[in-house]
């Protein structure tokens, strides 16, 4: 199927071709016709599935089909959980709407509100926003939501995880009752289903191929490394492989800061991105990776949610996530648009259970390998056992009861 067969107009098709896309993704095939038909939509879609174009393309067409009044009011509202995702959605809107007579802007917290307010006063057809800044400007009577025709809740599950449910309900109360509502979520949790019943009218449910099975184009490798040697090992991998544009995941912001500091001391240029970073610092880090002025972006899961880095070749799990689904989100940032990608995980002995949960989720075994020079201190047969069994298993080996265990031959010192 082609984008033209989905019912999109030539001015939008021209922008798609300029972007380099030829065929729609699964979620785009399923979502675009329903949105163009004016239906409310509940869509399950993961990072890297093309969901952003799945709703921006038809929204732009619907808005362009109806001429805006001379005094432009906000007719489409896209809510996102993070500033980074808001900025990227806005960038997509500008790209795909380049040939249309529509105005759009993006608002989020952490930056001066005055430029955002000026853009809104100049007239906006489509607004991309984070919930907090949107409500803040509304409470100051600096914007109105009275003319919104289309609402998108992007990554609704993450918005709920981040505690935005009250904000979402408040925003809903400010919108016209007659509107088209589109909800995109990675999962159909009970909370998402509850939101759907509250705010969507007879929605159509669409689902991309479940992303619990990871992308075939991604080469996944897991290495057993002692926790204390992880930073040295990852620096050697990146420097030795002369890798550029590497996205590294840590579980905490403190780990991200420590690793970034050590990388820079070892002449591997890196910047960190996490919840404590200012918006300008986040933008600097992301643009640095884009234009290759830095080699490594070290991120936490929440900060990296929604990041879109075209043709990203390497993702490294410095620490495995304690939620298996987050592994899929992480590695899904490489291997996009038909390109090959590599996902590497450094696994310490206390992360073995996390690895098993990941393998169960993706339906694939990731055999543990060893990096030369960083052999783990644990015995080879010990790594796949739960921590509670380690001592007894080691003792059995010492007693030579395990036939697979071979002692190193003693040196013959006789002359």
């Amino acid at each position: 199927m082609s984008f033209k067969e989905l019912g999109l107009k030539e001015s939008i098709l021209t922008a798609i071709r300029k972007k380099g896309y030829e065929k729609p993704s699964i979620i785009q095939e399923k979502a675009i016709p329903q949105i163009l038909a004016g239906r409310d939509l509940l869509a399950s879609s993961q990072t890297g599935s093309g969901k952003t174009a799945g709703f921006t393309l038809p929204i732009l067409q619907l808005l362009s089909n109806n001429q805006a009044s001379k005094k432009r009011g906000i007719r489409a509202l896209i809510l996102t959980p993070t500033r980074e995702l808001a900025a990227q959605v806005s960038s997509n809107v500008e790209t795909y709407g380049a040939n249309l007579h529509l105005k759009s802007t993006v608002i989020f917290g952490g930056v001066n509100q005055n430029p955002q307010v000026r853009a809104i006063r100049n007239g906006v057809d489509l607004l991309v926003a984070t919930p907090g800044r949107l409500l803040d400007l509304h409470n100051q009577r600096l914007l109105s939501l009275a003319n919104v025709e289309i609402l998108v809740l992007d990554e609704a599950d993450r918005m709920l995880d981040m505690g935005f449910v009250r904000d979402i309900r408040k925003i809903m109360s400010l919108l016209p009752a007659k509107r088209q509502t589109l909800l995109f979520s990675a999962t159909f949790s009970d909370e998402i289903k509850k939101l759907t019943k509250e705010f969507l009218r007879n929605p159509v449910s669409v689902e991309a191929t479940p992303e619990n099975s990871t992308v075939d184009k991604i080469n996944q490798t897991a290495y057993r490394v002692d926790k204390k040697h992880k930073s040295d090992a990852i620096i050697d991998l990146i420097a030795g492989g002369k890798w550029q544009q590497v996205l590294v995941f840590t579980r905490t912001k403190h780990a991200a800061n420590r690793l970034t500091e050590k990388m820079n001391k070892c002449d591997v240029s890196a910047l960190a991105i996490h919840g404590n970073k200012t918006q300008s610092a986040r933008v600097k880090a992301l643009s640095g990776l884009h234009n290759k002025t830095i080699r490594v972006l070290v991120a936490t899961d929440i900060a990296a949610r929604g990041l879109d880095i075209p043709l990203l070749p390497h993702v490294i799990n410095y620490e495995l996530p304690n939620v298996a689904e987050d592994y899929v989100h992480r590695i899904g940032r490489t291997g996009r648009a038909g390109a090959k990608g590599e996902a590497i995980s450094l696994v310490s002995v206390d992360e073995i259970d996390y690895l098993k949960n990941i393998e169960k989720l993706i339906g694939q075994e990731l055999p543990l390998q060893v990096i030369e020079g960083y052999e783990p201190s644990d015995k080879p047969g010990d790594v796949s056992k739960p921590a509670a069994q380690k001592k007894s298993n080691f003792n059995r080996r010492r007693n030579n009861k395990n036939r697979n265990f071979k002692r190193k031959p003693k040196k013959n010192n006789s002359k």
Side-chain angles (χ1 to χ4, degrees):
M1 180 177 284
S2 66
F3 281 104
K4 187 174 184 179
E5 290 175 289
L6 294 178
L8 296 171
K9 60 171 60 177
E10 185 58 35
S11 52
I12 294 177
L13 294 174
T14 300
I16 294 171
R17 286 192 291 268
K18 188 174 180 180
K19 185 81 171 175
Y21 296 129
E22 297 178 358
K23 294 182 179 180
S25 67
I26 294 173
I27 194 65
Q28 291 163 3
E29 284 186 13
K30 294 181 177 181
I32 290 174
Q34 299 294 344
I35 298 172
L36 289 175
R39 300 291 302 274
D40 280 12
L41 188 75
L42 174 62
S44 173
S45 177
Q46 300 280 347
T47 298
S49 62
K51 67 171 174 63
T52 303
F55 60 76
T56 56
L57 294 172
I59 288 174
L60 288 168
Q61 176 147 320
L62 290 172
L63 294 179
S64 66
N65 286 343
N66 300 312
Q67 285 295 110
S69 61
K70 289 184 179 180
K71 187 177 180 181
R72 295 173 187 261
I74 300 165
R75 294 191 289 147
L77 172 63
I78 301 173
L79 286 178
T80 73
T82 67
R83 295 173 283 190
E84 289 75 26
L85 183 56
Q88 288 176 32
V89 171
S90 179
S91 177
N92 273 263
V93 169
E94 290 178 6
T95 298
Y96 295 127
N99 305 315
L100 305 172
H101 299 292
L102 296 172
K103 288 188 176 181
S104 66
T105 195
V106 58
I107 62 173
F108 45 73
V111 295
N112 190 321
Q113 73 174 32
N114 293 333
Q116 299 175 358
V117 172
R118 282 196 296 271
I120 292 170
R121 284 176 175 167
N122 289 333
V124 170
D125 298 290
L126 188 154
L127 179 67
V128 185
T130 53
R133 176 53 61 94
L134 180 70
L135 285 174
D136 184 23
L137 296 187
H138 184 273
N139 291 338
Q140 296 179 60
R141 298 185 179 182
L142 296 173
L143 60 79
S144 170
L145 301 176
N147 297 315
V148 171
E149 303 164 13
I150 306 170
L151 169 69
V152 180
L153 296 176
D154 191 15
E155 297 201 0
D157 53 337
R158 186 51 61 110
M159 278 198 271
L160 296 184
D161 289 344
M162 294 173 69
F164 285 131
V165 64
R166 290 181 64 184
D167 288 349
I168 291 171
R169 289 196 168 97
K170 175 63 177 175
I171 291 167
M172 292 290 192
S173 71
L174 303 173
L175 301 175
K178 187 179 179 181
R179 64 173 187 271
Q180 183 178 7
T181 305
L182 316 173
L183 189 153
F184 283 76
S185 174
T187 60
F188 288 159
S189 64
D190 291 340
E191 291 82 1
I192 292 297
K193 291 175 183 176
K194 186 176 180 181
L195 270 187
T196 301
K197 290 179 181 178
E198 282 187 64
F199 302 120
L200 276 68
R201 296 172 296 124
N202 302 316
V204 176
S205 293
V206 298
E207 199 169 351
T209 303
E211 285 289 333
N212 288 348
S213 55
T214 49
V215 185
D216 292 336
K217 291 282 185 181
I218 301 175
N219 179 33
Q220 300 173 70
T221 308
Y223 292 110
R224 261 289 285 122
V225 182
D226 287 339
K227 184 181 291 188
K228 61 184 178 181
H229 295 144
K230 276 190 176 185
S231 57
D232 291 326
I234 197 172
I235 290 169
D236 277 1
L237 283 172
I238 294 170
K242 297 181 180 180
W243 294 348
Q244 303 291 332
Q245 289 188 302
V246 184
L247 179 58
V248 176
F249 282 98
T250 63
R251 282 198 296 271
T252 68
K253 58 191 177 185
H254 303 294
N257 287 337
R258 287 194 301 268
L259 180 59
T260 301
E261 184 178 353
K262 184 163 185 177
M263 283 184 168
N264 285 313
K265 286 181 179 178
C266 295
D267 294 325
V268 175
S269 56
L271 286 173
I273 178 172
H274 53 66
N276 281 4
K277 294 291 182 179
T278 64
Q279 181 61 20
S280 59
R282 294 175 183 219
V283 171
K284 179 183 177 182
L286 187 57
S287 62
L289 193 67
H290 273 295
N291 58 34
K292 298 184 180 180
T293 56
I294 64 165
R295 296 171 69 177
V296 184
L297 183 63
V298 184
T300 56
D301 287 293
I302 290 179
R305 182 77 176 202
L307 286 182
D308 184 16
I309 305 168
L311 304 178
L312 177 70
H314 306 286
V315 169
I316 301 179
N317 293 301
Y318 178 74
E319 297 169 312
L320 286 182
N322 50 19
V323 177
E325 286 80 1
D326 285 341
Y327 174 84
V328 178
H329 288 303
R330 288 180 176 189
I331 73 167
R333 286 167 173 78
T334 186
R336 294 188 180 187
K340 291 184 178 180
E342 183 173 26
I344 291 173
S345 298
L346 303 184
V347 185
S348 56
V349 71
D350 59 322
E351 295 175 310
I352 297 299
D353 287 343
Y354 296 158
L355 179 64
K356 297 303 178 187
N357 290 336
I358 289 167
E359 290 175 332
K360 184 177 180 181
L361 178 70
I362 67 177
Q364 180 180 344
E365 186 179 358
L366 301 176
L368 285 165
Q369 303 180 35
V370 173
I371 303 171
E372 186 177 352
Y374 294 96
E375 292 80 4
S377 58
D378 305 272
K379 297 299 178 180
D382 218 20
V383 296
S384 62
K385 303 294 182 182
Q389 298 178 14
K390 288 182 192 272
K391 188 173 181 180
S392 61
N393 287 345
F394 181 72
N395 287 337
R396 280 200 297 273
R397 291 191 185 93
R398 288 188 62 186
N399 293 331
N400 206 25
K401 291 181 180 179
N402 186 336
R403 293 182 180 179
N404 293 326
F405 179 74
K406 295 182 178 179
R407 293 181 181 274
K408 290 183 179 180
K410 292 182 178 179
K411 293 182 180 180
N412 188 351
N413 295 322
S414 61
K415 295 182 180 179

